[in-house]
Amino acid sequence: ESGITKPKGYNVSFHCNPEMEKHHFGMTHPMKPWRLTLSKSLIYSYGMSFAMDNYISRAATYEELATFHSTDYLDFLGTVLPEPVPRDLENQNPDLKFNLGGSDCPLFDGLYDYCSMSAGGALDAARKLVSHQSDIAIAWGGGLHHAHKAEASGFCYINDIVVAILELLRYHPRVLYIDIDVHHGDGVEEAFFSTDRVMTVSFHKYDPNNFFPGTGALDDNGPKSEQNPGSHHALNVPLNDGITDEQYAMLFDTIIGQIVEKFRPTAIALQCGADSLAGDRLGRFNLQVQGHGACVAFCKRMNLPLLLFGGGGYTPRNVARAWAYETALAVGVDDKINDYIPSHTPWRDQFRHDTLFPTLEQILGEPRVNRNTQKRLQEMIQHVTEQLRFVQA
Ligand code: ZL4
Ligand code: CA
Ligand code: ZN
Protein backbone atom coordinates (compact mmCIF):
# COMPACT_ATOMS: atom_id res chain seq x y z
CA GLU A 1 0.00 0.00 0.00
CA SER A 2 1.06 3.57 -0.64
CA GLY A 3 0.50 4.59 2.99
CA ILE A 4 -0.82 8.00 1.90
CA THR A 5 -2.75 9.76 4.67
CA LYS A 6 -4.30 13.17 5.15
CA PRO A 7 -1.71 15.83 6.04
CA LYS A 8 -2.65 17.59 9.28
CA GLY A 9 -3.38 21.28 9.42
CA TYR A 10 -4.38 21.92 5.85
CA ASN A 11 -7.04 20.72 3.44
CA VAL A 12 -7.19 19.90 -0.21
CA SER A 13 -10.56 19.34 -1.88
CA PHE A 14 -11.03 17.48 -5.13
CA HIS A 15 -14.08 18.26 -7.28
CA CYS A 16 -15.16 16.06 -10.15
CA ASN A 17 -18.26 14.82 -11.93
CA PRO A 18 -18.10 11.39 -13.59
CA GLU A 19 -21.11 12.33 -15.76
CA MET A 20 -19.14 15.13 -17.40
CA GLU A 21 -16.42 12.73 -18.52
CA LYS A 22 -18.87 10.68 -20.62
CA HIS A 23 -19.49 13.42 -23.17
CA HIS A 24 -18.00 13.29 -26.65
CA PHE A 25 -17.01 16.18 -28.94
CA GLY A 26 -16.77 13.70 -31.84
CA MET A 27 -14.47 10.81 -32.76
CA THR A 28 -11.55 12.79 -34.11
CA HIS A 29 -11.95 15.99 -32.11
CA PRO A 30 -8.80 16.58 -30.01
CA MET A 31 -10.75 17.41 -26.82
CA LYS A 32 -11.40 14.11 -25.02
CA PRO A 33 -13.39 14.45 -21.77
CA TRP A 34 -12.35 10.86 -20.84
CA ARG A 35 -8.83 12.18 -20.15
CA LEU A 36 -10.44 13.25 -16.84
CA THR A 37 -11.37 9.63 -16.11
CA LEU A 38 -7.82 8.57 -16.94
CA SER A 39 -6.38 11.25 -14.63
CA LYS A 40 -8.67 10.29 -11.77
CA SER A 41 -7.85 6.63 -12.22
CA LEU A 42 -4.14 7.42 -11.78
CA ILE A 43 -4.82 9.73 -8.82
CA TYR A 44 -6.94 7.11 -7.04
CA SER A 45 -4.48 4.31 -7.84
CA TYR A 46 -1.83 6.17 -5.90
CA GLY A 47 -4.19 6.38 -2.93
CA MET A 48 -4.39 10.17 -3.06
CA SER A 49 -8.15 10.23 -2.38
CA PHE A 50 -7.29 9.33 1.25
CA ALA A 51 -5.41 12.61 1.56
CA MET A 52 -8.16 14.88 0.19
CA ASP A 53 -11.81 15.77 0.65
CA ASN A 54 -13.50 14.27 -2.39
CA TYR A 55 -16.68 15.77 -3.82
CA ILE A 56 -18.92 14.90 -6.74
CA SER A 57 -19.69 18.37 -8.02
CA ARG A 58 -23.15 19.51 -9.01
CA ALA A 59 -24.10 21.25 -12.23
CA ALA A 60 -24.04 25.06 -12.08
CA THR A 61 -27.48 26.68 -12.30
CA TYR A 62 -28.62 28.99 -15.09
CA GLU A 63 -28.43 31.93 -12.65
CA GLU A 64 -24.85 31.05 -11.72
CA LEU A 65 -23.83 30.88 -15.40
CA ALA A 66 -25.62 34.20 -15.98
CA THR A 67 -23.25 35.97 -13.56
CA PHE A 68 -20.96 36.15 -16.61
CA HIS A 69 -22.78 34.88 -19.70
CA SER A 70 -25.58 36.69 -21.53
CA THR A 71 -29.03 35.12 -21.21
CA ASP A 72 -29.43 35.16 -25.03
CA TYR A 73 -26.41 32.93 -25.31
CA LEU A 74 -27.39 30.63 -22.42
CA ASP A 75 -30.93 30.24 -23.79
CA PHE A 76 -29.57 29.25 -27.20
CA LEU A 77 -26.99 26.88 -25.66
CA GLY A 78 -29.76 25.23 -23.63
CA THR A 79 -32.08 24.60 -26.58
CA VAL A 80 -29.88 24.09 -29.64
CA LEU A 81 -29.90 20.53 -30.96
CA PRO A 82 -26.84 18.64 -32.14
CA GLU A 83 -27.53 18.73 -35.86
CA PRO A 84 -24.43 17.90 -37.84
CA VAL A 85 -23.38 20.85 -39.97
CA PRO A 86 -21.81 19.91 -43.31
CA ARG A 87 -18.26 21.23 -43.17
CA ASP A 88 -18.41 23.11 -46.48
CA LEU A 89 -21.40 25.06 -45.15
CA GLU A 90 -19.73 25.85 -41.83
CA ASN A 91 -19.31 29.53 -42.60
CA GLN A 92 -22.60 30.09 -44.43
CA ASN A 93 -25.02 28.28 -42.17
CA PRO A 94 -27.38 30.90 -40.72
CA ASP A 95 -27.98 28.60 -37.71
CA LEU A 96 -24.35 28.94 -36.68
CA LYS A 97 -24.95 31.48 -33.94
CA PHE A 98 -22.56 32.38 -31.14
CA ASN A 99 -19.79 30.45 -32.97
CA LEU A 100 -21.56 27.20 -32.11
CA GLY A 101 -21.57 24.19 -34.40
CA GLY A 102 -18.27 24.50 -36.28
CA SER A 103 -15.40 22.00 -35.98
CA ASP A 104 -13.80 23.67 -32.91
CA CYS A 105 -17.05 24.04 -30.92
CA PRO A 106 -19.34 21.31 -32.22
CA LEU A 107 -22.86 20.73 -30.97
CA PHE A 108 -22.98 17.34 -29.26
CA ASP A 109 -25.44 15.38 -27.13
CA GLY A 110 -25.72 16.78 -23.61
CA LEU A 111 -23.68 19.91 -24.44
CA TYR A 112 -25.49 22.13 -21.92
CA ASP A 113 -25.08 19.49 -19.17
CA TYR A 114 -21.37 19.13 -19.96
CA CYS A 115 -20.89 22.92 -19.71
CA SER A 116 -22.88 23.36 -16.52
CA MET A 117 -21.03 20.45 -14.87
CA SER A 118 -17.65 21.95 -15.75
CA ALA A 119 -18.72 25.27 -14.20
CA GLY A 120 -20.34 23.49 -11.22
CA GLY A 121 -17.03 21.86 -10.26
CA ALA A 122 -15.18 25.18 -10.53
CA LEU A 123 -17.83 26.97 -8.44
CA ASP A 124 -17.84 24.26 -5.76
CA ALA A 125 -14.05 24.58 -5.58
CA ALA A 126 -14.26 28.39 -5.24
CA ARG A 127 -16.83 28.08 -2.45
CA LYS A 128 -14.65 25.65 -0.47
CA LEU A 129 -11.89 28.28 -0.58
CA VAL A 130 -14.02 31.24 0.46
CA SER A 131 -15.55 29.27 3.34
CA HIS A 132 -12.02 28.31 4.50
CA GLN A 133 -12.91 24.63 4.31
CA SER A 134 -10.11 24.12 1.77
CA ASP A 135 -6.66 25.65 1.34
CA ILE A 136 -6.30 24.20 -2.15
CA ALA A 137 -9.33 23.24 -4.26
CA ILE A 138 -8.92 21.20 -7.45
CA ALA A 139 -11.30 21.25 -10.45
CA TRP A 140 -9.53 19.42 -13.30
CA GLY A 141 -12.80 19.47 -15.28
CA GLY A 142 -12.68 23.28 -15.49
CA GLY A 143 -10.22 25.70 -17.07
CA LEU A 144 -12.13 26.53 -20.27
CA HIS A 145 -10.50 29.90 -20.72
CA HIS A 146 -11.55 30.90 -24.29
CA ALA A 147 -15.33 31.19 -23.77
CA HIS A 148 -16.69 34.74 -24.04
CA LYS A 149 -19.78 36.35 -22.54
CA ALA A 150 -21.91 35.50 -25.59
CA GLU A 151 -19.68 33.31 -27.76
CA ALA A 152 -18.09 29.88 -27.78
CA SER A 153 -14.46 29.68 -28.82
CA GLY A 154 -11.65 27.12 -29.00
CA PHE A 155 -13.42 24.07 -27.50
CA CYS A 156 -14.84 26.30 -24.69
CA TYR A 157 -18.53 27.19 -24.35
CA ILE A 158 -18.88 28.33 -20.73
CA ASN A 159 -16.07 30.18 -18.97
CA ASP A 160 -16.03 28.32 -15.65
CA ILE A 161 -12.90 30.26 -14.63
CA VAL A 162 -14.62 33.65 -14.87
CA VAL A 163 -17.67 32.32 -13.00
CA ALA A 164 -15.42 30.91 -10.23
CA ILE A 165 -13.31 34.10 -9.96
CA LEU A 166 -16.51 36.19 -9.68
CA GLU A 167 -17.40 34.00 -6.69
CA LEU A 168 -13.92 34.54 -5.15
CA LEU A 169 -14.35 38.32 -5.66
CA ARG A 170 -17.39 38.35 -3.36
CA TYR A 171 -14.98 37.78 -0.47
CA HIS A 172 -11.50 38.49 -1.81
CA PRO A 173 -10.32 42.01 -2.64
CA ARG A 174 -7.69 40.82 -5.16
CA VAL A 175 -7.38 37.64 -7.21
CA LEU A 176 -4.34 36.64 -9.28
CA TYR A 177 -5.19 34.52 -12.34
CA ILE A 178 -2.31 32.55 -13.88
CA ASP A 179 -2.65 30.52 -17.10
CA ILE A 180 -0.03 27.93 -18.12
CA ASP A 181 -2.07 26.37 -20.95
CA VAL A 182 -0.11 26.62 -24.24
CA HIS A 183 -2.90 28.88 -25.58
CA HIS A 184 -3.56 32.50 -24.58
CA GLY A 185 -6.19 32.85 -21.82
CA ASP A 186 -8.11 35.44 -23.87
CA GLY A 187 -11.61 34.91 -22.45
CA VAL A 188 -10.52 35.42 -18.84
CA GLU A 189 -8.31 38.39 -19.76
CA GLU A 190 -11.17 40.07 -21.59
CA ALA A 191 -13.69 39.45 -18.78
CA PHE A 192 -11.51 41.29 -16.24
CA PHE A 193 -10.05 43.86 -18.62
CA SER A 194 -11.52 46.84 -16.77
CA THR A 195 -10.97 45.93 -13.13
CA ASP A 196 -7.90 46.28 -10.93
CA ARG A 197 -9.17 43.54 -8.60
CA VAL A 198 -8.08 40.73 -10.92
CA MET A 199 -4.64 40.51 -12.45
CA THR A 200 -4.44 38.04 -15.34
CA VAL A 201 -1.14 36.51 -16.52
CA SER A 202 -0.94 34.06 -19.40
CA PHE A 203 2.13 32.17 -20.61
CA HIS A 204 1.54 30.87 -24.14
CA LYS A 205 2.83 30.07 -27.59
CA TYR A 206 2.41 33.30 -29.57
CA ASP A 207 2.28 33.52 -33.33
CA PRO A 208 -0.51 35.84 -34.43
CA ASN A 209 -0.89 34.21 -37.86
CA ASN A 210 -0.34 30.56 -37.12
CA PHE A 211 -1.39 29.76 -33.58
CA PHE A 212 -4.78 30.05 -31.89
CA PRO A 213 -6.15 32.49 -30.76
CA GLY A 214 -3.48 34.92 -32.02
CA THR A 215 -3.84 37.43 -29.15
CA GLY A 216 -1.66 37.91 -26.06
CA ALA A 217 1.27 39.99 -27.31
CA LEU A 218 3.78 41.27 -24.75
CA ASP A 219 2.36 44.81 -24.90
CA ASP A 220 -1.27 43.69 -24.58
CA ASN A 221 -1.71 44.94 -21.00
CA GLY A 222 -5.29 46.03 -20.62
CA PRO A 223 -7.13 49.22 -21.60
CA LYS A 224 -4.73 51.99 -22.52
CA SER A 225 -6.95 54.74 -21.07
CA GLU A 226 -5.70 56.38 -17.86
CA GLN A 227 -9.26 56.45 -16.48
CA ASN A 228 -9.60 52.68 -16.61
CA PRO A 229 -8.56 50.90 -13.41
CA GLY A 230 -7.84 47.71 -15.40
CA SER A 231 -4.77 49.25 -17.08
CA HIS A 232 -1.58 47.24 -16.47
CA HIS A 233 -3.58 44.38 -14.91
CA ALA A 234 -3.34 42.06 -17.91
CA LEU A 235 0.10 40.55 -18.41
CA ASN A 236 1.20 38.30 -21.25
CA VAL A 237 4.28 36.15 -21.73
CA PRO A 238 4.36 35.25 -25.46
CA LEU A 239 6.71 32.32 -26.12
CA ASN A 240 8.13 30.42 -29.08
CA ASP A 241 8.27 26.68 -29.76
CA GLY A 242 10.33 24.34 -27.63
CA ILE A 243 10.64 26.16 -24.30
CA THR A 244 12.29 23.97 -21.64
CA ASP A 245 11.56 23.34 -17.95
CA GLU A 246 14.55 25.48 -16.88
CA GLN A 247 13.60 28.52 -18.96
CA TYR A 248 9.95 28.27 -18.03
CA ALA A 249 10.69 27.99 -14.30
CA MET A 250 13.03 30.99 -14.46
CA LEU A 251 10.33 33.10 -16.15
CA PHE A 252 7.49 31.83 -13.98
CA ASP A 253 9.24 32.26 -10.63
CA THR A 254 10.62 35.71 -11.50
CA ILE A 255 7.38 37.07 -12.95
CA ILE A 256 4.92 35.55 -10.48
CA GLY A 257 7.23 36.41 -7.57
CA GLN A 258 7.23 40.09 -8.61
CA ILE A 259 3.47 40.14 -9.15
CA VAL A 260 2.71 38.65 -5.74
CA GLU A 261 4.98 41.25 -4.14
CA LYS A 262 3.36 44.23 -5.92
CA PHE A 263 -0.26 43.19 -6.45
CA ARG A 264 -0.61 41.31 -3.14
CA PRO A 265 -3.36 38.93 -4.22
CA THR A 266 -5.51 37.38 -1.49
CA ALA A 267 -6.23 34.29 -3.62
CA ILE A 268 -4.67 32.60 -6.66
CA ALA A 269 -6.48 30.84 -9.52
CA LEU A 270 -4.13 28.70 -11.66
CA GLN A 271 -5.22 27.22 -14.99
CA CYS A 272 -3.03 24.11 -15.49
CA GLY A 273 -3.69 23.36 -19.19
CA ALA A 274 -1.54 20.30 -19.94
CA ASP A 275 -1.10 21.10 -23.64
CA SER A 276 2.08 22.98 -22.67
CA LEU A 277 3.71 19.56 -22.10
CA ALA A 278 6.14 18.06 -24.60
CA GLY A 279 4.51 15.62 -27.00
CA ASP A 280 1.08 17.27 -26.87
CA ARG A 281 -1.01 16.79 -30.01
CA LEU A 282 -1.70 20.53 -30.31
CA GLY A 283 1.11 22.02 -28.20
CA ARG A 284 4.60 23.27 -29.13
CA PHE A 285 6.58 23.31 -25.89
CA ASN A 286 9.12 20.93 -24.33
CA LEU A 287 7.84 21.00 -20.75
CA GLN A 288 8.12 17.82 -18.70
CA VAL A 289 5.77 16.81 -15.90
CA GLN A 290 8.31 18.21 -13.42
CA GLY A 291 8.52 21.62 -15.12
CA HIS A 292 4.75 21.95 -15.45
CA GLY A 293 4.29 20.87 -11.83
CA ALA A 294 6.92 23.35 -10.63
CA CYS A 295 4.37 26.11 -11.37
CA VAL A 296 1.87 24.48 -9.03
CA ALA A 297 4.57 24.03 -6.37
CA PHE A 298 5.56 27.70 -6.68
CA CYS A 299 1.96 28.90 -6.26
CA LYS A 300 1.47 26.60 -3.27
CA ARG A 301 4.49 28.19 -1.57
CA MET A 302 2.75 31.60 -1.73
CA ASN A 303 0.50 30.27 1.04
CA LEU A 304 -2.70 31.78 -0.35
CA PRO A 305 -6.04 30.09 -1.07
CA LEU A 306 -5.33 28.29 -4.35
CA LEU A 307 -7.81 27.13 -6.99
CA LEU A 308 -6.42 24.67 -9.55
CA PHE A 309 -8.22 24.30 -12.90
CA GLY A 310 -7.54 21.90 -15.75
CA GLY A 311 -7.76 23.20 -19.32
CA GLY A 312 -6.21 21.95 -22.55
CA GLY A 313 -4.24 18.72 -22.87
CA TYR A 314 -4.52 16.53 -25.97
CA THR A 315 -2.24 13.56 -25.33
CA PRO A 316 -4.40 11.92 -22.65
CA ARG A 317 -1.76 9.79 -20.88
CA ASN A 318 0.48 12.84 -20.45
CA VAL A 319 -2.45 14.90 -19.17
CA ALA A 320 -3.12 12.21 -16.56
CA ARG A 321 0.53 12.10 -15.48
CA ALA A 322 0.72 15.88 -15.08
CA TRP A 323 -2.53 16.27 -13.17
CA ALA A 324 -1.76 13.24 -10.96
CA TYR A 325 1.64 14.71 -10.10
CA GLU A 326 0.08 18.13 -9.46
CA THR A 327 -2.56 16.59 -7.22
CA ALA A 328 0.28 14.94 -5.27
CA LEU A 329 2.07 18.31 -4.99
CA ALA A 330 -1.12 19.98 -3.74
CA VAL A 331 -1.65 17.33 -1.11
CA GLY A 332 2.06 17.28 -0.24
CA VAL A 333 2.68 13.61 -0.99
CA ASP A 334 4.86 14.11 -4.06
CA ASP A 335 7.82 12.67 -2.15
CA LYS A 336 5.87 9.45 -1.71
CA ILE A 337 5.22 9.01 -5.42
CA ASN A 338 7.77 6.63 -6.90
CA ASP A 339 8.78 6.20 -10.52
CA TYR A 340 6.10 3.67 -11.33
CA ILE A 341 2.46 3.35 -12.28
CA PRO A 342 0.60 1.23 -9.71
CA SER A 343 -0.13 -2.19 -11.18
CA HIS A 344 -3.80 -2.01 -10.23
CA THR A 345 -4.56 1.05 -12.39
CA PRO A 346 -7.60 0.01 -14.41
CA TRP A 347 -6.21 1.98 -17.32
CA ARG A 348 -2.75 0.33 -17.08
CA ASP A 349 -2.69 -0.27 -20.85
CA GLN A 350 -2.83 3.45 -21.52
CA PHE A 351 0.56 3.82 -19.93
CA ARG A 352 2.20 0.69 -21.38
CA HIS A 353 5.79 0.78 -20.11
CA ASP A 354 5.66 4.39 -18.98
CA THR A 355 6.36 5.70 -15.50
CA LEU A 356 4.74 8.77 -13.99
CA PHE A 357 8.04 10.61 -14.25
CA PRO A 358 9.73 9.51 -17.41
CA THR A 359 13.50 9.36 -16.93
CA LEU A 360 15.86 11.49 -19.01
CA GLU A 361 16.02 8.72 -21.60
CA GLN A 362 12.25 8.55 -21.91
CA ILE A 363 11.11 12.17 -21.75
CA LEU A 364 7.58 13.06 -22.91
CA GLY A 365 7.39 13.31 -26.68
CA GLU A 366 9.94 14.16 -29.33
CA PRO A 367 11.80 17.28 -28.23
CA ARG A 368 11.09 20.32 -30.39
CA VAL A 369 13.79 22.78 -31.43
CA ASN A 370 13.95 25.47 -28.74
CA ARG A 371 13.32 28.84 -30.38
CA ASN A 372 13.38 30.92 -27.17
CA THR A 373 16.54 32.99 -26.69
CA GLN A 374 17.71 34.08 -23.24
CA LYS A 375 17.77 37.65 -24.55
CA ARG A 376 14.07 37.58 -25.46
CA LEU A 377 13.14 36.04 -22.08
CA GLN A 378 15.01 38.84 -20.29
CA GLU A 379 13.12 41.42 -22.39
CA MET A 380 9.84 39.90 -21.26
CA ILE A 381 10.84 40.06 -17.60
CA GLN A 382 11.89 43.67 -18.15
CA HIS A 383 8.53 44.56 -19.73
CA VAL A 384 6.56 42.94 -16.90
CA THR A 385 8.68 44.77 -14.31
CA GLU A 386 7.82 48.06 -16.06
CA GLN A 387 4.09 47.28 -16.07
CA LEU A 388 4.23 46.48 -12.37
CA ARG A 389 5.54 49.98 -11.60
CA PHE A 390 1.96 51.13 -12.24
CA VAL A 391 0.45 48.54 -9.92
CA GLN A 392 -0.16 49.31 -6.27
CA ALA A 393 -2.13 46.98 -4.02
C1 ZL4 B 1 -10.21 19.94 -34.63
O1 ZL4 B 1 -9.31 16.77 -36.21
O2 ZL4 B 1 -6.95 27.15 -34.83
C2 ZL4 B 1 -11.60 19.77 -34.61
C3 ZL4 B 1 -9.62 21.10 -34.11
C4 ZL4 B 1 -12.15 18.64 -35.15
C5 ZL4 B 1 -12.11 16.58 -36.30
C6 ZL4 B 1 -12.21 16.64 -37.82
C7 ZL4 B 1 -12.43 17.98 -38.44
C8 ZL4 B 1 -11.28 18.43 -39.29
C9 ZL4 B 1 -7.46 20.27 -34.68
C10 ZL4 B 1 -8.25 21.28 -34.16
C11 ZL4 B 1 -11.21 19.92 -39.52
C12 ZL4 B 1 -10.55 20.63 -38.36
C13 ZL4 B 1 -10.34 22.10 -38.62
N1 ZL4 B 1 -11.40 17.69 -35.69
C14 ZL4 B 1 -10.11 22.85 -37.37
C15 ZL4 B 1 -8.88 28.33 -36.80
C16 ZL4 B 1 -9.21 26.97 -36.97
C17 ZL4 B 1 -10.55 26.55 -37.54
C18 ZL4 B 1 -10.84 25.12 -37.18
O3 ZL4 B 1 -6.59 24.18 -24.93
N2 ZL4 B 1 -9.80 24.24 -37.67
C19 ZL4 B 1 -9.17 27.54 -35.68
C20 ZL4 B 1 -8.51 25.94 -31.18
C21 ZL4 B 1 -7.81 25.89 -32.52
C22 ZL4 B 1 -8.15 27.06 -34.66
C23 ZL4 B 1 -7.62 25.50 -30.06
C24 ZL4 B 1 -7.52 25.20 -27.55
C25 ZL4 B 1 -8.34 25.11 -26.29
C26 ZL4 B 1 -7.53 25.19 -25.01
C27 ZL4 B 1 -8.43 25.18 -23.76
C28 ZL4 B 1 -8.39 25.50 -28.75
N3 ZL4 B 1 -8.66 26.52 -33.54
C29 ZL4 B 1 -8.16 26.02 -37.45
C30 ZL4 B 1 -8.51 24.61 -37.06
C31 ZL4 B 1 -10.04 17.75 -35.71
C32 ZL4 B 1 -9.41 18.93 -35.17
C33 ZL4 B 1 -8.01 19.10 -35.18
C34 ZL4 B 1 -7.67 22.49 -33.65
N4 ZL4 B 1 -8.35 23.62 -33.39
C35 ZL4 B 1 -6.35 22.74 -33.31
N5 ZL4 B 1 -6.25 24.01 -32.87
C36 ZL4 B 1 -7.48 24.52 -32.93
O4 ZL4 B 1 -6.79 26.40 -24.91
C37 ZL4 B 1 -9.27 23.99 -23.59
CA1 CA C 1 -1.73 30.30 -21.34
ZN1 ZN D 1 -4.82 25.05 -24.78
Side-chain angles (χ1 to χ4, degrees):
E1 276 312 306
S2 65
I4 285 175
T5 54
K6 205 167 180 333
K8 288 212 176 62
Y10 98 115
N11 293 313
V12 177
S13 58
F14 189 80
H15 304 266
C16 65
N17 189 333
E19 288 306 308
M20 182 187 168
E21 302 157 16
K22 295 176 186 160
H23 290 84
H24 290 276
F25 281 63
M27 280 272 282
T28 51
H29 195 286
M31 178 56 99
K32 312 278 185 204
W34 61 265
R35 73 211 168 109
L36 296 166
T37 314
L38 191 62
S39 306
K40 247 178 7 185
S41 150
L42 202 52
I43 290 164
Y44 294 166
S45 296
Y46 277 102
M48 290 184 221
S49 53
F50 302 112
M52 311 186 283
D53 299 322
N54 303 279
Y55 298 96
I56 304 287
S57 46
R58 64 197 172 77
T61 65
Y62 180 93
E63 288 70 28
E64 287 169 335
L65 300 180
T67 58
F68 174 54
H69 292 283
S70 79
T71 53
D72 280 5
Y73 177 57
L74 291 176
D75 293 340
F76 189 75
L77 198 62
T79 53
V80 69
L81 289 169
E83 277 179 278
V85 179
R87 198 144 19 254
D88 50 334
L89 295 180
E90 211 172 83
N91 298 314
Q92 296 132 262
N93 194 317
D95 295 337
L96 260 182
K97 284 203 281 191
F98 306 110
N99 196 29
L100 290 165
S103 50
D104 272 357
C105 302
L107 297 172
F108 54 82
D109 280 323
L111 174 61
Y112 188 87
D113 295 333
Y114 166 85
C115 296
S116 51
M117 287 187 258
S118 163
L123 260 176
D124 281 354
R127 293 205 175 109
K128 285 289 160 193
L129 293 176
V130 297
S131 67
H132 304 286
Q133 291 177 75
S134 304
D135 302 293
I136 304 180
I138 302 176
W140 293 138
L144 306 179
H145 59 179
H146 299 305
H148 301 281
K149 184 185 171 78
E151 196 182 280
S153 171
F155 319 161
C156 305
Y157 305 80
I158 289 289
N159 203 314
D160 60 286
I161 304 171
V162 173
V163 172
I165 291 178
L166 288 172
E167 179 67 20
L168 295 177
L169 287 173
R170 293 172 64 184
Y171 306 87
H172 283 277
R174 289 177 305 281
V175 175
L176 170 58
Y177 172 70
I178 309 169
D179 187 314
I180 62 169
D181 188 289
V182 75
H183 298 99
H184 176 223
D186 57 350
V188 184
E189 178 185 90
E190 180 189 76
F192 299 112
F193 228 41
S194 52
T195 176
D196 56 2
R197 292 182 60 203
V198 179
M199 173 156 308
T200 63
V201 194
S202 176
F203 296 79
H204 45 266
K205 154 79 184 173
Y206 179 68
D207 182 347
N209 302 314
N210 295 306
F211 199 73
F212 187 87
T215 49
L218 185 60
D219 60 0
D220 159 16
N221 298 117
K224 302 278 183 227
S225 133
E226 288 296 314
Q227 263 67 279
N228 200 315
S231 304
H232 316 292
H233 287 72
L235 298 176
N236 285 295
V237 185
L239 302 166
N240 286 322
D241 288 6
I243 193 164
T244 61
D245 282 3
E246 294 70 29
Q247 287 183 323
Y248 204 90
M250 185 279 287
L251 274 177
F252 191 91
D253 297 6
T254 310
I255 288 172
I256 303 302
Q258 284 188 26
I259 293 172
V260 170
E261 202 178 294
K262 286 287 258 181
F263 178 63
R264 297 198 162 280
T266 60
I268 300 179
L270 175 61
Q271 195 267 22
C272 301
D275 48 7
S276 42
L277 292 170
D280 188 81
R281 178 174 161 194
L282 300 190
R284 305 291 181 84
F285 293 167
N286 273 341
L287 295 189
Q288 301 300 310
V289 169
Q290 293 89 331
H292 199 267
C295 302
V296 174
F298 187 89
C299 289
K300 182 182 173 179
R301 287 201 297 275
M302 299 297 105
N303 255 316
L304 293 164
L306 178 60
L307 209 173
L308 299 179
F309 299 95
Y314 306 101
T315 300
R317 67 182 193 282
N318 290 345
V319 177
R321 287 160 148 174
W323 291 348
Y325 177 51
E326 287 159 15
T327 305
L329 284 168
V331 174
V333 298
D334 49 296
D335 57 331
K336 295 198 177 66
I337 304 291
N338 300 310
D339 286 352
Y340 75 103
I341 307 278
S343 55
H344 52 290
T345 298
W347 296 72
R348 187 74 181 79
D349 282 358
Q350 285 289 327
F351 299 96
R352 302 228 164 74
H353 310 290
D354 298 353
T355 55
L356 182 56
F357 307 118
T359 59
L360 283 177
E361 296 82 58
Q362 31 160 189
I363 53 173
L364 305 178
E366 282 292 302
R368 293 181 169 89
V369 178
N370 183 3
R371 305 217 177 269
N372 297 274
T373 62
Q374 287 307 113
K375 180 166 170 283
R376 181 66 182 146
L377 302 186
Q378 287 306 328
E379 281 168 18
M380 291 193 271
I381 290 175
Q382 182 67 31
H383 179 88
V384 168
T385 307
E386 280 161 21
Q387 288 301 309
L388 289 173
R389 292 214 180 97
F390 300 97
V391 171
Q392 205 46 258

